[in-house]
Amino acid sequence: MLRLQWVAGWASPWKRREDPRLLLRRSWGKEVVRERFTFQLARYHERKVGLCPTVDEGTWHDLAMDQVFAKVDRTLGFPGRQVLYHQLRTYEEDDAVLAERDRQRRVLRTDASLREDVQLSLAGLDGDDAAWLTPLLMDDLPPKPRWAWVLHVCGLAPLACLLGMAAWPILLIPGVLLACLNLLINETYGRKLSPHFAGLSQIYKLQKVAGRVANLSGADRLPQVATLRQSVWVRTQLQRRLFWLAVDRERLNELILSLISYINLFFLVDIQTYFASLNLLRRHQAEWVAMLEAVGTLDAALSVASFADGLSQSCTPTRAKGRRLEAQGLYHPLLPAPVGNPIHCEGRSVLITGSNMAGKTTFIRTVGINVILARTLNLCLAERATIPAAQVRSSIRREDRLAQGDSYYLAELERVREMLQDAEGGNLWLFLIDEIFRGTNTLERVSAATAVLHHLGRAHLTMVTTHDLELQDLLSDTFDMFHFSEQIVDGKYGFNYRIQAGPTTGRNAIRLLELRGYPETITREARQLADRVVARNLA
């Protein structure tokens, strides 16, 4: 597992301190294996939904975008991971924003010294507790109750009793009672505020990271640095008030951790620190959000730059006008040995035929993933690419929803119906459909598929895979034909995963039965029936 282990190494004088820059250089461009994919990643995205169109859940699942995100993610801290997740799920409609992401990526890829300075400055927000920064800074903070002064009194009273016991031992009794009361307050009211305590402890770390980045020299090409330099006063004011919550309790030994826990339980220190910081946080919430986003977007830019640097081939796509999609050497990011394929379509949709396992479904997934990468990160896995300003909706992984009582076919009908609704809007869509209506009989499948695909394919870019060769003739006025095929050489069959223009002409399915040892009587009868059906159709 690739980690910045030098951060922990600095904390211990007994460990050999390896030059952190050497570790950064060795890890640059290499995939980082995370321990787990946590739900906290979506917290930032959930608070930004509605501002821009997003990749819907079905398409995200169909295209395995969680795995794509994990492939791209090389961030140093949790805020960076959250921002990167949001970027990958959000179609960016402003070309200037996409161009700026590409510019920053180029700066970080070419200037190794600046890149390493930024990486060293960003270290420190990698713990899971950093996920609480987003709800703390972006949600409405709970108001300070009018009776907050009572909690201050309850917190100080046991301490006063403890100090006064030297002169008046009788104070032990009210001291114990007040300590029990504070324990009850912590277990009730304190639990409601505890998520904010974790966020406040991370704010202290955030301001330290922001300060390091703001003090970088020669970083004027990164706009996030200018944002962080404007927040010096806010950081300084809050830093003094958060000292208690800023203690990194995960790194403390058990004895000290227990001591801090008891002090907090009996003297309400966390609650009092929270109240002392609340007004300052509320007055300057916008500045703290800007600080969080500046750190997160800078970390996300580093991550994408590292991902791009580790690719065998990548490019900055050109934005197309209308229904034009063109690429050379387009490949899938999750395959260990991907095959690059070309695609060119303009003003027409695409029908893909071919055998199972030949690459049809993988290809339309490849197109969908690359369109999303182009629309979100301004990056394509190809030699060159021209991508339309389209949103992606797919119908690929269709499963029986038995708990809801929906069959395979009904689940697909619902998904395609959503596509038809989208098609009536003003946005351009890329629809990806794998084996359309395969859950019903051939006659009705071909008839319904023809009607639906004509409707979708005339105004939007639609890519559909099918085994129904009848669709090639029925859709020839709207769709361009492509196919994948298998090769049979010396009694062995395999696939080259290369897309080919034009309709499929191969009839190898029965030949594969022979190669797999099916009885000759069966394969002979199958050939005779196939020839009879073809002759009847031609007549």
Side-chain angles (χ1 to χ4, degrees):
M1 180 180 296
L2 294 173
R3 292 276 189 181
L4 294 182
Q5 300 291 351
W6 49 270
V7 176
W10 282 0
S12 174
W14 294 279
K15 293 184 179 179
R16 177 175 174 268
R17 298 179 182 178
E18 188 173 1
D19 184 354
R21 292 183 182 270
L22 294 179
L23 290 172
L24 290 172
R25 290 166 195 165
R26 286 203 296 268
S27 63
W28 179 255
K30 296 181 180 179
E31 184 179 358
V32 175
V33 180
R34 302 288 185 185
E35 293 180 1
R36 61 186 182 274
F37 183 85
T38 61
F39 73 94
Q40 291 117 325
L41 282 177
R43 282 179 173 159
Y44 178 78
H45 174 68
E46 289 166 354
R47 286 155 178 82
K48 304 286 281 189
V49 167
L51 301 178
C52 294
T54 60
V55 182
D56 67 275
E57 288 292 340
T59 300
W60 185 266
H61 178 64
D62 280 350
L63 302 183
M65 292 300 296
D66 279 339
Q67 289 90 328
V68 175
F69 168 79
K71 194 84 171 179
V72 178
D73 176 29
R74 288 99 192 270
T75 51
L76 298 167
F78 218 105
R81 294 183 72 191
Q82 290 177 317
V83 170
L84 178 62
Y85 180 83
H86 170 67
Q87 289 181 353
L88 198 56
R89 291 212 63 158
T90 307
Y91 297 107
E92 181 52 62
E93 298 180 312
D94 189 345
D95 288 345
V97 174
L98 290 174
E100 175 60 21
R101 289 177 184 173
D102 183 63
R103 186 194 69 80
Q104 290 182 34
R105 188 161 63 241
R106 293 179 186 276
V107 168
L108 293 169
R109 291 181 69 180
T110 55
D111 192 336
S113 178
L114 173 62
R115 178 178 72 232
E116 291 167 6
D117 287 342
V118 174
Q119 287 177 298
L120 291 170
S121 300
L122 287 175
L125 287 171
D126 57 338
D128 287 347
D129 281 348
W132 293 103
L133 280 168
T134 294
L136 176 67
L137 296 178
M138 300 186 71
D139 293 348
D140 293 333
L141 293 169
K144 185 177 180 179
R146 294 180 179 178
W147 43 270
W149 63 270
V150 176
L151 297 178
H152 289 298
V153 172
C154 289
L156 295 174
L159 179 61
C161 292
L162 183 64
L163 295 175
M165 281 172 53
W168 300 285
I170 193 65
L171 291 178
L172 174 63
I173 296 175
V176 171
L177 294 176
L178 287 169
C180 293
L181 175 62
N182 289 348
L183 182 62
L184 181 62
I185 293 173
N186 257 311
E187 289 299 310
T188 54
Y189 187 67
R191 282 186 179 274
K192 296 179 181 179
L193 299 180
S194 58
H196 301 289
F197 298 159
L200 283 170
S201 68
Q202 294 299 316
I203 282 184
Y204 189 86
K205 295 181 180 180
L206 174 63
Q207 65 84 21
K208 290 180 65 176
V209 168
R212 290 198 297 263
V213 176
N215 291 328
L216 287 176
S217 59
D220 296 334
R221 289 176 291 174
L222 301 173
Q224 295 92 339
V225 176
T227 300
L228 295 175
R229 286 173 180 169
Q230 297 171 1
S231 61
V232 176
W233 183 86
V234 177
R235 297 200 313 269
T236 304
Q237 290 296 311
L238 197 60
Q239 181 177 0
R240 295 192 297 268
R241 307 188 186 190
L242 292 178
F243 176 77
W244 173 263
L245 286 173
V247 176
D248 191 353
R249 302 179 188 184
E250 293 180 357
R251 296 182 182 275
L252 299 177
N253 62 49
E254 293 184 5
L255 179 61
I256 298 177
L257 182 60
S258 298
L259 179 61
I260 290 177
S261 298
Y262 283 121
I263 291 174
N264 175 59
L265 285 174
F266 296 128
F267 301 107
L268 306 181
V269 182
D270 282 357
I271 294 177
Q272 296 191 64
T273 303
Y274 173 74
F275 286 152
S277 310
L278 190 59
N279 290 335
L280 184 63
L281 276 174
R282 187 177 284 112
R283 286 198 306 269
H284 301 282
Q285 193 167 14
E287 290 96 323
W288 281 102
V289 171
M291 193 186 310
L292 175 70
E293 292 181 335
V295 170
T297 54
L298 187 56
D299 198 0
L302 273 168
S303 178
V304 180
S306 176
F307 170 69
D309 210 57
L311 295 173
S312 59
Q313 187 72 51
S314 66
C315 69
T316 301
T318 302
R319 177 70 68 91
K321 294 182 179 180
R323 293 191 297 155
R324 181 188 176 198
L325 174 61
E326 184 177 3
Q328 189 68 36
L330 197 71
Y331 65 96
H332 197 292
L334 300 181
L335 297 179
V339 175
N341 272 298
I343 184 65
H344 177 80
C345 51
E346 187 167 359
R348 290 170 63 85
S349 292
V350 173
L351 181 74
I352 305 174
T353 55
S355 304
N356 285 326
M357 301 182 296
K360 304 187 303 299
T361 306
T362 299
F363 180 75
I364 64 172
R365 282 195 174 110
T366 300
V367 173
I369 290 170
N370 275 278
V371 169
I372 290 174
L373 290 174
R375 293 290 319 279
T376 59
L377 304 180
N378 207 21
L379 179 71
C380 262
L381 280 62
E383 298 172 18
R384 63 178 184 274
T386 301
I387 302 295
Q391 298 177 45
V392 181
R393 187 179 286 275
S394 65
S395 177
I396 297 176
R397 287 184 176 181
R398 298 177 298 277
E399 302 168 350
D400 282 356
R401 294 180 292 184
L402 298 179
Q404 291 85 4
D406 291 350
S407 70
Y408 179 97
Y409 182 58
L410 289 179
E412 181 181 13
L413 287 181
E414 179 63 23
R415 190 66 176 164
V416 174
R417 185 183 65 83
E418 293 172 358
M419 292 182 175
L420 294 171
Q421 291 176 340
D422 292 334
E424 299 303 317
N427 297 321
L428 179 64
W429 287 87
L430 169 63
F431 295 122
L432 307 174
I433 307 176
D434 183 40
E435 298 294 342
I436 185 169
F437 296 149
R438 58 180 170 180
T440 188
N441 64 79
T442 303
L443 175 62
E444 292 184 306
R445 177 174 66 246
V446 171
S447 302
T450 301
V452 167
L453 293 176
H454 267 139
H455 187 84
L456 295 177
R458 289 192 182 103
H460 299 273
L461 183 56
T462 304
M463 289 191 169
V464 59
T465 69
T466 185
H467 286 291
D468 295 318
L469 302 186
E470 299 91 337
L471 292 176
Q472 293 181 142
D473 293 329
L474 294 170
L475 296 172
S476 60
D477 59 330
T478 311
F479 283 71
D480 289 332
M481 306 300 157
F482 293 86
H483 67 277
F484 287 84
S485 62
E486 69 283 339
Q487 289 78 44
I488 298 178
V489 180
D490 297 330
K492 297 181 179 180
Y493 69 96
F495 308 98
N496 62 9
Y497 307 110
R498 301 281 182 183
I499 194 169
Q500 302 175 59
T504 183
T505 57
R507 288 175 56 192
N508 289 326
I510 298 176
R511 174 60 174 151
L512 292 179
L513 298 181
E514 295 175 345
L515 295 175
R516 301 301 293 181
Y518 276 60
E520 182 182 355
T521 54
I522 292 177
T523 57
R524 182 172 61 250
E525 182 179 355
R527 286 188 181 279
Q528 293 172 352
L529 290 172
D531 292 339
R532 192 182 309 164
V533 171
V534 170
R536 184 175 61 192
N537 290 339
L538 291 176

